[in-house]
Amino acid sequence: MNLSNRLRDCVALVCVFGLVAPPMQARNSKGDKLYKLGQKAEARNDLDGALNYYDQAVDADPNEAEYQIADQRMRVKASDAHLAEGRRLRKDQKLDEALAQFQKAFLDNPSSPVTLEEIRQTTEMLKERAKLPSGVPVLTPAEKARQEVEQRINSLEGPPTLRPLNQQISHLTMNNQPSRVLYESVGKLAGINVLFDPQGIDTLQGKNFNLDLNNVTLEEALNYIGLETHTFWKAISHNAIFVAQETDPKRQEYQDELVKVFYIQNASTQNELTEIFNGVRTGAKLTTGIFSVFSQNAIVVRGTPDTIALAEKLVHDLDRPKAEVMIDVIVMEVNRTVINNLGASLLGQGGLSVPVTFAPRPGITTPVANSTSGSGTSGTGTSGTGTTGTGTGTGTGTPSAQIPISNLHRLSSADYSVTLPSTIIQALLSDTKNHVVQRPQLRATDGGKASLKIGEKIPYVSGSLNSAVATPGSIPYATTQFQQVDIGTNIDLEPHVNGTDEISMHVKVEISNELNQVTIAGIQEPIIGQQVDEANIRMRDGEVSILGGLNDKELQTVMSGVPGFTNIPGLSYIFGSKQKTTTDNQVLIAIIPHILRPQDLSTVADQGVFAGTERVTRVERGNGATPVSTNPPSTVPPRPANPLVPAPNSRPQPPTGTKPPEDAGQQPVPATVQPPTASSLPPARP
């Protein structure tokens, strides 16, 4: 009967558990096998095969979350791989293969709108290729837009570069001629056209000038004439110049300006870029037309060609890679502690202690002993008019007896006993040595900061705030603030390279450790010992500098024993002990700097460059220099022949009134040039 009842109860419990517990399904063994095959295919980078296995695993067990996660992840990964391959094929003009890759990407991940857009663009490109001749590349709409932008940008012209037929003027002498005639004569010799301001170029009416030039370039000759006649000129094409008066209104009206972006390569922080920006702005005297772009590390300058050239010179000289320094830091620390303990002492006692035990007798009050702890066994006794008993007990502490003074005369040697403590004779020697050698290396740029911290952080209380008034429904509270301090070896360096072989540094080396702890206001605070060396030094490359050689010696003597006997020579080691502790700490800190990259001053000019006047910025270029220009190399079409303009690569013929050259091998040197008439001047060509 009992067995049947138990079986009935068990069946009932199983039924209840089946109703309450959630349904549980076992993992499909086929799905696990397919899942593992998919993982192996993914490891081989066979993304399509892995996706196929994951799909089959999901079909075998749709409720398994692990299969679904792997399947979704692989769909995105395989689709991205086909997209990347299709874009590469389309860039190589393999449009059919690219379209196939995009279609595979769509099958892997149909929810991606990027795939549909790529399929549409590639289909349109296939239709466009059918209309174009064979071999003509087909571009996507984005590539077409980018190409159009680049073509528009490249079509922007820079300042024209003057390319005369004759760059050198050997000799030219003109007397009492107006400024217009001077420009026209130089232009005729060089083979260029000269255009003038319609309002005239003569600042002083009727003023004539003399000119005598020998072995000068065309640009130098034009600058000489402009300086003498108070005019300025600018190139308007490769073979023509425009001349106007040297006044502020004319400069603002005719002087062309450029816009150029300078990318700063060696400024790693915003502060460094700001310093270069301020240097260019101040050096070129640019109150307007200059600004910086911190996100691109760039400086944009707008100004005349000479202003742009001067700004380019300043950027080139200021944007230099900083020097770098490698610093070897050597920290050597030797700690030695010697403890010498010799003498005799009472075991467990700091001095002489004699415990006294009293044995009571009839008629004498039992002494009461006070002890901190003890154990004992009570004896047996008989009851009558009084109670007597005996007992023994042991205890620690200092016993004290309370005996009436009237019973002192009855005490004898049988009433108490004296127990002497045990004695130990010790002779101990402890010698501990600790060697610590640290040799880190720090690398820093010129003017930068390098820090090295080897150790740990220890928290300490920095402040506490107590709430005096409680808020409604609460009680006063206290807030404690903590901070952390670095202990160990802390090194801070700020190097600066002076020249090629010397370094100036601000050095701070700190060696600290936790000595002990002290309780302040109920909170334990660390006691930290420090050894700090901070200095500004100047050293040569590879020079060894000893920053700190700290020697700390301490001697401590501790005497313990029976008072009076410890001061007697000889007996002090019998009735006491002496402990001598010798501590010797030695710390040596040395640094060795090495210049890894010196300052690059090889291409900086020893002397300044010509920058013009206070009002007008102008630069001078030596022979062979190329002015600031964005024009391509010489692609000038041939010009029609002109009897007054010498042909290219031919010697100019001397005008009327010149004397023959003294040396047939030299170029003819004009002695005197007659002012040309209006009919003899070449027609102006744009």
Side-chain angles (χ1 to χ4, degrees), residues 373-387:
S373 63
S375 63
T377 59
S378 62
T380 60
T382 60
S383 61
T385 56
T387 302

Side-chain angles (χ1 to χ4, degrees), residues 2-17:
N2 294 333
L3 180 60
S4 61
N5 292 334
R6 291 181 180 178
L7 290 176
R8 185 169 57 250
D9 295 339
C10 292
V11 172
L13 290 175
V14 171
C15 294
V16 172
F17 179 77

Side-chain angles (χ1 to χ4, degrees), residues 502-518:
E502 286 194 355
I503 304 170
S504 298
M505 280 189 297
H506 177 77
V507 184
K508 181 179 180 181
V509 180
E510 177 182 343
I511 302 175
S512 58
N513 58 348
E514 184 180 3
L515 300 179
N516 202 346
Q517 289 187 349
V518 62

Side-chain angles (χ1 to χ4, degrees), residues 22 124 150 279 310 314 399 456 486 572:
E124 293 179 357
E150 291 179 354
L310 182 58
L314 295 174
E456 58 186 1
D486 295 315
S572 59

